[in-house]
Every structure is written in C-alpha cells, then in structure tokens.
Amino acid sequence: MELEKDTYLTIENASEGEFKDRGSKFIAYAFPMNDTETFDAEILQLKKLHLKSRHHCFAYRFNFEEPVFRYSDDGEPSGTAGKPIYGQIIKQDLYNVGIIVVRYFGGTKLGTGGLINAYKNAAAEALQNANIISYQITELYDLVFDYARMGEIMEIVKLMELNITSKEFNEVPVLKIEIPKAQSKEKIRIL
C-alpha cells in the first residue's frame, strides 16, 4: 500500500494471539499506543493478570515523524523474544503499536530457534487478529472571519473537504479545522 508522507498504518483496537509449542504457551497482546505511559500501564495490567508467567517480552514503536521503539527479552536468551516481536511490527510497517507476549513454560526447553519461532508467531497472530488502519497526521487551525463571509467560508471548507472539529459563534466566528499535514500549507494559502 503506497502511503502519503503524512499517513501511517496502525491498529484500531487491541487484539490477541496465541502460540503453543511442546507445552509452552505464548499469549500475545497487541494494542494501540502513543507514548510510554500507555505501554507501562498495559504491561503492569498484564503482569497482574498473568502472575504465574515468568516472561513478559515486548516490543513497541510509536511517533511516526520521529520514531521511538524498544524491545525486551525479559529474561529469555538475548535476541529470542523482543527482536522477533519487533520484527512483526516492522514487517507490517506499523506505528503507535505495542505487543506484549506472555509465556507460560511447559516443562520442555525450546532452544533459541524454538523461542524465536514462538514469539514471532504469537505476535504475528495478534496482528493478524487486529484491524489495521491507515491514519493521517493532521494539523489544527483556527479559522477566524467576519460573519459577512460565513457562506463563502463554509462553501470553501466543504469544497476542500476539511474537517471542522469545533465552532464558536461569538463576536467573530471561529472554526477549528483539521487539515492533512502534507496539504496544510497549500490549503491555508487558499483560505
């Protein structure tokens, strides 16, 4: 999918996936996020929910314009959990998404290859169960004008397919409009 420079892919809402191998169970939770505080709250909640799990491995990426990412093996051998989870985020080219995979040990060691495969597949299933959407980065502007130009301004806003997020009708009318970032300079010039 060819995206504009102000558009990125993300997930619409939380989803889950599961992978089992030789008695071990890997439960993946994918969720939308815009900051580390959201991620911290999610992992804390999952640690409370899965008290008997020894590993809560994760990866996340957010902020399309200046990407922030992190991944962790949380006690698994280096490179066997966080990187494979992060690889699924990269493969789908997603932003503003976090994935936490909770592991319940089944009694049999899976080895490096088995762990990589398990964490990758659990994360992939969670993303497969997610609704992936395209999100457009926008900028907000206050459009201030005289009441005499109300009809003309509303017609321009309609023709330019601008989203009005709020309206104020006091001494002078003010429309708060949302414009796709890549088009903002061009459309503001017209207004």
Side-chain angles (χ1 to χ4, degrees):
M1 180 186 304
E2 185 69 30
L3 299 175
E4 295 291 325
K5 60 186 171 192
D6 64 346
T7 304
Y8 62 87
L9 297 175
T10 190
I11 61 174
E12 189 172 33
N13 46 23
S15 62
E16 295 179 24
E18 189 175 299
F19 185 80
K20 294 179 182 177
D21 188 5
R22 290 172 268 175
S24 285
K25 186 174 176 180
F26 299 81
I27 307 166
Y29 298 89
F31 52 93
M33 58 170 282
N34 295 319
D35 52 43
T36 54
E37 290 80 13
T38 303
F39 175 81
D40 292 343
E42 192 72 28
I43 199 162
L44 185 63
Q45 180 182 353
L46 287 173
K47 283 182 177 183
K48 287 179 184 175
L49 182 64
H50 296 280
L51 289 171
K52 294 184 179 183
S53 170
R54 292 181 36 206
H55 302 286
H56 300 83
C57 305
F58 66 83
Y60 62 71
R61 179 165 73 161
F62 64 92
N63 195 358
F64 175 71
E65 295 177 295
E66 293 180 36
V68 175
F69 70 93
R70 185 170 170 223
Y71 50 84
S72 169
D73 297 318
D74 190 36
E76 293 284 26
S78 181
T80 61
K83 269 187 167 179
I85 297 167
Y86 186 64
Q88 294 306 300
I89 294 171
I90 297 299
K91 182 179 178 183
Q92 299 277 343
D93 196 23
L94 300 173
Y95 288 86
N96 293 9
V97 64
I99 303 173
I100 300 168
V101 180
V102 177
R103 178 188 182 193
Y104 286 97
F105 183 61
T108 303
K109 292 191 176 191
L110 303 179
T112 304
L115 288 172
I116 290 170
N117 184 57
Y119 280 104
K120 177 185 87 170
N121 282 307
E125 184 171 320
L127 292 177
Q128 185 177 355
N129 294 332
N131 186 23
I132 295 176
I133 59 170
S134 177
Y135 182 83
Q136 189 164 49
I137 300 170
T138 59
E139 293 180 338
L140 289 175
Y141 292 91
D142 287 339
L143 189 55
V144 182
F145 53 94
D146 291 326
Y147 276 106
R149 294 192 63 210
M150 176 75 80
E152 172 192 355
I153 294 294
M154 294 307 282
E155 185 64 28
I156 291 170
V157 167
K158 183 179 178 183
L159 285 171
M160 292 173 71
E161 298 177 342
L162 302 177
N163 183 33
I164 299 172
T165 61
S166 69
K167 304 173 188 177
E168 291 179 28
F169 297 108
N170 296 319
E171 286 182 34
V172 292
V174 179
L175 298 179
K176 192 170 285 290
I177 57 171
E178 193 175 38
I179 302 175
K181 187 174 181 178
Q183 303 168 8
S184 63
K185 288 180 184 171
E186 168 195 329
K187 291 194 175 189
I188 287 299
R189 224 178 329 186
I190 294 169
L191 289 169

